């Protein structure tokens, strides 16, 4: 699917999600369940990259908070994905603090690297990065890179939305995602056999390689 088709698919997805959230805010439990089914896979993948095997427990805590505060949410489907990711991240960091696990601090250079076509290889990258091997590699990245990759590829947030979740500048998040995907591409090995995929991807090497990985 080309970049335009992928963008339309994502817009349709977010439109359906936004409608479900609006109905859920009016008390429709079936609509809340639909919103949960749409958001949970990406949210769980994000949390697996942060807390590993404890992801489902942390996700459960996050959804309790999401359900409790749903009436206060204002926004569309894309905004809901960002809002739930922010809540999940806070619960994950609380979990890590309880385990006395200190996130590794990494210094980000301030250069801004654009990520063309952020959604064009989303399905391929998501399929690959959701595998246990890829998630293990993501967990081995510096935390800023791991979170940027997970939010961009697994949750499907654009650069500004991911930056809001992480409370960072969009340029810093783009830099972290670029470096994380480039490192993953090297670790997973090989280049995409399709030149078109490489040029349509988040980086020249990253998503094409991720999409081909097994």
């Amino acid at each position: 699917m080309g970049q335009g088709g992928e963008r339309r698919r994502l817009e349709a997805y977010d439109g359906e999600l936004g409608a479900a959230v609006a109905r859920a805010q009016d008390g429709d439990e079936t609509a809340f369940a639909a919103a949960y089914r749409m958001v949970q896979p990406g949210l769980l993948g994000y949390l697996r990259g942060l807390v590993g095997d404890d992801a489902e427990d942390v996700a459960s805590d996050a959804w309790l908070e999401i359900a409790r505060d749903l009436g206060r949410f204002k926004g569309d489907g894309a905004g809901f994905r960002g809002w739930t990711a922010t809540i999940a991240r806070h619960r994950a960091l609380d979990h890590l603090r309880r385990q006395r696990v200190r996130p590794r601090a990494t210094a980000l250079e301030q250069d801004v690297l654009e990520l063309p076509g952020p959604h064009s290889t989303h399905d391929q990258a998501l399929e690959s990065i959701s595998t246990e091997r890829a998630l293990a590699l993501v967990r081995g990245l510096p935390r800023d890179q791991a979170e940027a990759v997970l939010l961009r590829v697994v949750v499907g947030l654009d650069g500004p939305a991911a930056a809001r979740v992480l409370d960072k500048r969009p340029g810093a998040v783009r830099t972290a995602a670029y470096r994380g995907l480039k490192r993953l591409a090297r670790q997973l090995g090989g280049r995409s056999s399709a030149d078109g995929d490489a040029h349509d991807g988040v980086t020249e090497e990253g998503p094409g390689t991720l999409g081909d990985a097994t």
Side-chain angles (χ1 to χ4, degrees), residues 49-74:
L50 296 181
V51 300
D53 292 339
D54 295 329
E56 291 192 8
D57 290 339
V58 174
S60 295
D61 290 342
W63 278 105
L64 287 174
E65 184 173 342
I66 292 164
R68 184 193 71 197
D69 295 341
L70 184 63
R72 294 191 291 182
F73 169 73
K74 297 183 185 302

Side-chain angles (χ1 to χ4, degrees), residues 5 8 21 23 31 37 43 81 113 122 125 133 158 166 177 186 188:
R8 288 191 294 273
V21 170
R23 293 196 304 272
R37 287 193 297 271
L43 207 62
R81 286 189 289 120
L113 298 173
H122 176 269
R133 179 189 176 205
D158 62 19
L166 299 174
R186 286 198 302 267
L188 290 169

Side-chain angles (χ1 to χ4, degrees), residues 131-207:
T131 66
E132 287 302 317
R133 179 189 176 205
L135 282 173
L137 292 175
V138 171
R139 287 195 293 270
L141 294 173
R143 183 164 298 278
D144 64 309
Q145 295 179 16
E147 289 203 71
V149 169
L150 291 165
L151 287 171
R152 294 298 305 274
V153 175
V154 178
V155 182
L157 300 184
D158 62 19
R164 286 192 293 272
V165 172
L166 299 174
D167 194 24
K168 293 179 179 291
R169 293 187 303 276
V173 175
R174 286 194 295 268
T175 299
Y178 173 88
R179 290 176 176 167
L181 286 169
K182 191 170 184 179
R183 182 177 296 193
L184 286 174
R186 286 198 302 267
Q187 291 173 329
L188 290 169
R191 289 181 60 88
S192 170
S193 59
D195 290 339
D197 289 345
H199 287 293
D200 285 341
V202 177
T203 69
E204 283 194 357
E205 298 177 356

